[in-house]
Amino acid sequence: MDEFELIRRFFNRAPPSGLELGIGDDAALLRAGRNAAGEAESLVVTTDMLVAGRHFVTDVDPESLGHKCLAVNLSDLAAMGARPEAFTLALALPGIDEGWLEAFARGMFALADRYGCELAGGDTTRGPLTISITALGRVPNGAALRRDHAEPGDDLWVSGALGAASYATRERLAGRGAELPAAACTRLDRPEPRIALGLALRHLARAAIDLSDGLVGDLGHICERSRVGAELRWPDIPVAGELAALAEAERIELALAGGDDYELLFSAAAENRGAIAALGAHGTLELTRIGTIVPGAGVTVVDARGRPVPLARAGFNHFA
Ligand code: ADP
Ligand code: MG
C-alpha cells in the first residue's frame, strides 16, 4: 500500500461534508464568509510534518530547519493561490537546547514575518524531533488554484529551475556535501514559497500544484484529479544550472523525478500565454512553458522529435 492508497482507504470518507474542498489537493478550502471589501472568501488549510532522520538529518542547521518547515507549508498555500495569514506549530523535542531553539525560531519567524503570517498556537512535547505546522490562508471564492481544474489544451508552466534540491540530497548522501555549490544547498535547505506567484496566478491559471515529490509524479496528481493526461517536452524543461555537467540520464532523473523543488507547476488556457510570459519577464522568477494538457490519462515525456523519453525510475510507471 502506498501513501496515497493509505489516505484513500482509511481517511478519505465519502460523501463529502460541508467542506468546499476536502482531501486530495495541496490544501483544503472552507467557506469563510466575507472580507472587509465584501468579497466572499475561503479559508485555506494545510499541514506538513517534518521528521528527523526522514526529512532532515539530526545535525541540520536549526535556522534553516525553522525556515524550511514553515516554507513547505506556505508552498502549499501558494499552490492554492492563497494569502498566508497564520500558522500553528506542534513540536516534539528530545530535550531542551536553548541555542538550537533560538536559531530554529529565528529561521521560522524571519520567513513568517516576510509574509505577515502569525504563529497562533501549537503544542510542545518530549519525543523524537518532529515538527508539524498547520498553515492557514485565504483566497476569494472561486479563485483558488485547484488540482482538479486542468483542461485539455491548457499549457503547462513551471516556475524556476528544477533538480538542484534533489542533486544536493544525492551529493550529501554520497558524502560529497562539502563540495556542493552554495546555491544548491540553499535550494534544498531554504526553499522559497512562491506566494507572490500564486497570488498573481489567481485569474490566469486553471490548475496548480507545488513540486514537493518530483515533476512527473506531481503532474500525475493534477492529471488524476482533473481526469486528463499531460505531455511534457523534455528539451523545454528548465533544468537547474548545477546539473549542467551531469550525464543526460541523470539530469532527466533529477529534474523530472527529484523532489523538494517547491516550485509551482500550473496549467493555463493558451489565451493567457502572453499575460503569463509577461509575469515571468517582469518578475525575478522565470516561468517556462513545458508541455500541454491532453485528453486521456497519465504523463508522457517526449524529446525534441516527439519520441518518448525513457524514465529510469520505476515510480514513474504509476503515472504512465
Ligand atoms: P502535499 O504534498 O501537497 O502536502 P500530500 O501528497 O502530502 O500533499 O497529501 C495528499 C492529500 O492527502 C492532501 O490533500 C492531504 O491533505 C491529504 N492527506 C495526507 N495525509 C492525510 C491524513 N493522514 N488524513 C487525511 N488527509 C490526509
Ligand atoms: Mg503540495
Side-chain angles (χ1 to χ4, degrees):
M1 190 178 358
D2 73 6
E3 172 189 345
F4 303 110
E5 172 64 17
L6 178 156
I7 297 163
R8 254 193 302 277
R9 263 181 62 186
F10 298 106
F11 298 116
N12 200 353
R13 303 195 299 171
S17 59
L19 296 173
E20 186 182 334
L21 177 64
I23 293 174
D25 214 302
D26 292 297
L29 298 174
L30 287 73
R31 288 174 200 86
R34 289 177 188 280
N35 63 15
E39 274 179 310
E41 287 189 320
S42 308
L43 190 63
V44 187
V45 184
T46 181
T47 295
D48 256 307
M49 178 162 61
L50 269 64
V51 178
R54 164 110 356 228
H55 298 97
F56 57 91
V57 288
T58 318
D59 61 353
V60 69
D61 163 42
E63 187 169 344
S64 294
L65 183 62
H67 171 100
K68 184 160 182 174
C69 61
L70 180 59
V72 298
N73 278 280
L74 297 188
S75 178
D76 278 322
L77 293 186
M80 303 303 289
R83 185 181 298 287
E85 189 164 307
F87 66 104
T88 61
L89 170 66
L91 264 183
L93 297 170
I96 292 179
D97 176 336
E98 289 184 35
W100 191 96
L101 283 164
E102 200 253 327
F104 175 83
R106 195 182 331 121
M108 185 180 71
F109 285 124
L111 178 63
D113 290 348
R114 275 203 278 133
Y115 290 108
C117 189
E118 263 191 276
L119 179 59
D123 192 28
T124 306
T125 169
R126 194 185 288 271
L129 181 58
T130 304
I131 302 139
S132 176
I133 285 182
T134 297
L136 302 143
R138 278 173 200 276
V139 65
N141 271 170
L145 307 173
R146 301 165 51 136
R147 293 181 184 179
D148 58 1
H149 280 178
E151 291 179 20
D154 280 2
D155 292 326
L156 275 168
W157 296 79
V158 74
S159 63
L162 306 181
S166 52
Y167 173 62
T169 301
R170 189 189 84 168
E171 293 303 289
R172 280 185 187 163
L173 289 174
R176 294 190 294 266
E179 296 140 53
L180 272 173
C185 297
T186 303
R187 288 312 314 262
L188 178 60
D189 299 333
R190 302 241 181 176
E192 188 57 39
R194 303 306 188 190
I195 296 291
L197 177 60
L199 296 176
L201 289 176
R202 276 177 179 175
H203 301 289
L204 290 175
R206 261 203 274 262
I209 189 169
D210 68 320
L211 296 180
S212 53
D213 298 337
L215 176 64
V216 170
D218 286 329
L219 175 54
H221 294 312
I222 286 186
C223 290
E224 216 174 282
R225 297 274 299 173
S226 298
R227 298 172 191 280
V228 294
E231 190 176 279
L232 289 175
R233 296 179 295 269
W234 164 244
D236 294 346
I237 308 284
V239 179
E242 288 84 358
L243 279 59
L246 301 183
E248 182 162 60
E250 289 182 293
R251 288 157 49 80
I252 289 175
E253 162 101 14
L254 292 167
L256 297 184
D260 277 335
D261 284 315
Y262 296 101
E263 294 295 349
L264 293 188
L265 169 70
F266 56 98
S267 94
E271 68 196 39
N272 290 339
R273 211 174 268 180
I276 293 169
L279 257 189
H282 294 138
T284 50
L285 187 57
E286 195 186 347
L287 300 179
T288 311
R289 195 152 52 83
I290 57 171
T292 311
I293 296 288
V294 297
V299 177
T300 53
V301 186
V302 298
D303 67 13
R305 289 157 68 185
R307 297 170 305 193
V309 171
L311 302 170
R313 244 193 235 183
F316 285 131
N317 291 348
H318 296 307
F319 309 104

